[in-house]
Amino acid sequence: MAQPEYVIDEMISAKSIAARIEAMAKEIRASFKGTDKLIIVGLLRGSFVFIADLVRELDLPVEVDFLEASSYGDGMESSREVRILKDLRGEIGGRDVLLVEDIVDTGFTLKHVTELLNTRKPRRLETIALLDKPSRREVDIKATWTGFEIPDEFVVGYGIDYAQRNRNLPHIGKVRFTGG
Ligand code: PRP
């Protein structure tokens, strides 16, 4: 099926993202000071750019692991069913864990994944999301750290896709459908 035509308007610049990550990393470093090892869990695929920049700002002993969950497929609406497509390689029992999300929308993904990780009894589990769309929330959940609260716009870039494209944009852009 052909994709509708669209243009992408810049919403959050690469510079603003970098500054916000630096500020959040400072808080995270202070919060986890003294940890023997922080396990950073990236939620694939959308968080891969964010996690790469975030870990380089964290001057802490870290390990990185990934989990893949999917609720959207290639569509624009949440299916409300969160599937675990790829599980962690390592154990998190008794460890300090920071779960990294690109965006919290309905909240189903973050809720489902935090519940799953909590069954494995980490010592501490915190969450960080680069973007949050509070107006879309359907379940009561909020990340410990949020980069930017945004309105209900269709966003892409910095890891986030539209039908698997545009993940490589260095900034967050807003999709504007042009018709045709
Ligand atoms: C997107 C996004 C979040 C989730 C947020 O993932 O990366 O993980 O949806 O939506 P929710 O709060 O409504 O659950 P998607 O399923 O599109 O997979 P992707 O990260 O591989 O693009």
Side-chain angles (χ1 to χ4, degrees), residues 43-46 68-73 78 101-110 161 167:
L43 206 47
L44 294 171
R45 283 169 273 183
E68 184 169 6
S70 188
S71 58
Y72 280 62
S78 171
E101 252 289 31
D102 52 345
I103 183 164
V104 183
D105 193 317
T106 63
F108 281 103
T109 306
L110 191 63
D161 72 306
R167 292 192 196 269

Side-chain angles (χ1 to χ4, degrees), residues 1-179:
M1 197 175 76
Q3 292 292 337
E5 286 177 22
Y6 62 95
V7 294
I8 298 170
D9 302 319
E10 184 171 298
M11 187 190 226
I12 307 172
S13 70
K15 211 172 154 186
S16 305
I17 296 170
R20 186 68 189 113
I21 290 176
E22 201 185 322
M24 289 194 292
K26 206 170 162 190
E27 291 179 22
I28 293 165
R29 277 200 307 267
S31 178
F32 284 100
K33 194 165 177 246
T35 184
D36 55 336
K37 187 173 66 186
L38 177 62
I39 304 179
I40 310 275
V41 172
L43 206 47
L44 294 171
R45 283 169 273 183
S47 73
F48 78 103
V49 179
F50 181 33
I51 201 169
D53 283 344
L54 181 67
V55 291
R56 284 178 290 175
E57 291 291 333
L58 289 178
D59 186 18
L60 289 171
V62 297
E63 212 173 86
V64 178
D65 206 340
F66 293 96
L67 188 87
E68 184 169 6
S70 188
S71 58
Y72 280 62
D74 284 347
M76 286 169 65
E77 282 297 316
S78 171
S79 60
R80 290 168 182 76
E81 244 177 66
V82 183
R83 287 183 301 145
I84 300 299
L85 304 177
K86 178 198 171 298
D87 207 338
L88 298 175
R89 288 275 292 274
E91 304 292 329
I92 58 163
R95 316 307 314 216
D96 292 340
V97 177
L98 178 64
L99 175 66
V100 183
E101 252 289 31
D102 52 345
I103 183 164
V104 183
D105 193 317
T106 63
F108 281 103
T109 306
L110 191 63
K111 185 167 191 287
H112 182 90
V113 175
T114 50
E115 282 174 1
L116 171 74
L117 296 184
N118 273 324
T119 64
R120 300 176 187 179
K121 306 268 179 277
R123 182 167 68 176
R124 183 173 167 200
L125 173 63
E126 304 293 349
T127 54
I128 181 168
L130 181 68
L131 304 177
D132 189 353
K133 282 186 190 174
S135 63
R136 294 262 307 163
R137 197 70 88 255
E138 293 185 27
V139 289
D140 185 21
I141 195 153
K142 190 168 174 39
T144 318
W145 289 279
T146 296
F148 303 88
E149 285 196 358
I150 59 167
D152 184 16
E153 301 282 0
F154 187 19
V155 291
V156 292
Y158 201 75
I160 302 171
D161 72 306
Y162 168 36
Q164 301 309 326
R165 297 192 53 183
N166 306 117
R167 292 192 196 269
N168 56 331
L169 269 183
H171 54 265
I172 297 290
K174 184 163 88 177
V175 173
R176 182 159 49 88
F177 293 98
T178 52

